Amino acid sequence: MKKEKIRHIAIIMDGNGRWAKKRLLPNKLGHREGAKVLKKITEYCDEIGLQYLTVYAFSTENWNRSEKEVDDLMALLSEFLDEYISNNDKNNIVIKVIGDKNRLEKSIVEKICTIEKLSENKKGVQLNLAINYGGRDEIVRSVKKICEDVSRGKVREREITEKLFSSYLDTKEIIDPEILIRTSGESRVSNFLLWQIAYTEIFNIKKLWPDFNKKDIDEVIKEFKNRNRTFGER
Ligand code: FPP
């Protein structure tokens, strides 16, 4: 068994809708249960000493869902941020948001700023919430920022390397994930962390996100240790 330390897990939390449908519950309650599970999994990742947990909470494509579902998700997000703001003293968790904040409501952006500031010096796991996030969008935004810096003379074209490019992404200062988990049996990457998952090990879990638990994290970590992780070399 390899001893590689796992520092970063990314998760596509899929299946909230199906979970609710199976129980004849409104879709909103599936997302609500999903948010509860996210809190538990974050606590567990903190307990096991993980450095980063990055989750896909709202994608750039999710705006195309019904107005009601978008409103429900934004309300849930707002509640989620409020809870972390009021319980800030009771946990060890750092919260950061990745994605384009420009399209988010002002009240949500303010809550994001508040929790990012309140939690920035904590020593526990860093929960990166991907909100209005799309991997392609992140790459395009980064290209634009580099172009601006080139035109201002801050960066020269020959200085553009993979390392420099990474430093323009929302995930600058965060190492690439060793593990990407997708629940609910789907095998798509769905525009999540496209640049960052170049060599990430992908785990497809059959369970729907609201049924996911800490034992599933343990099993993924155990399987990761048995995989032969390579980076294109022999
Ligand atoms: C996919 O399930 C999940 C989402 C679109 C959103 C993920 C959100 C959460 C887990 C809850 C809230 C998180 C925060 C931070 C508030 P789906 O609805 O696409 O599932 P389905 O494919 O079964 O319909």
Side-chain angles (χ1 to χ4, degrees), residues 13-18 27 31 34-35 38 56-57 62 65 69 73 76-77 80 129 209:
M13 308 178 290
D14 194 11
N16 297 339
R18 274 162 282 177
N27 179 274
H31 290 311
L38 173 58
Y56 213 1
N62 285 156
R65 295 198 175 190
E69 187 169 2
L73 278 165
L76 194 57
L77 171 64
F80 186 91
L129 294 170
W209 174 250

Side-chain angles (χ1 to χ4, degrees), residues 5 15 25 49 64 76-77 85 91 97 104 121 126 146 153 177 192 194 227 229:
K5 180 151 170 52
L25 292 169
N64 300 326
L76 194 57
L77 171 64
I85 291 170
N91 67 58
V97 168
L104 301 175
N121 292 321
Q126 177 172 317
I146 294 179
F192 193 40
L194 296 181
R227 283 196 190 177
R229 191 171 185 223

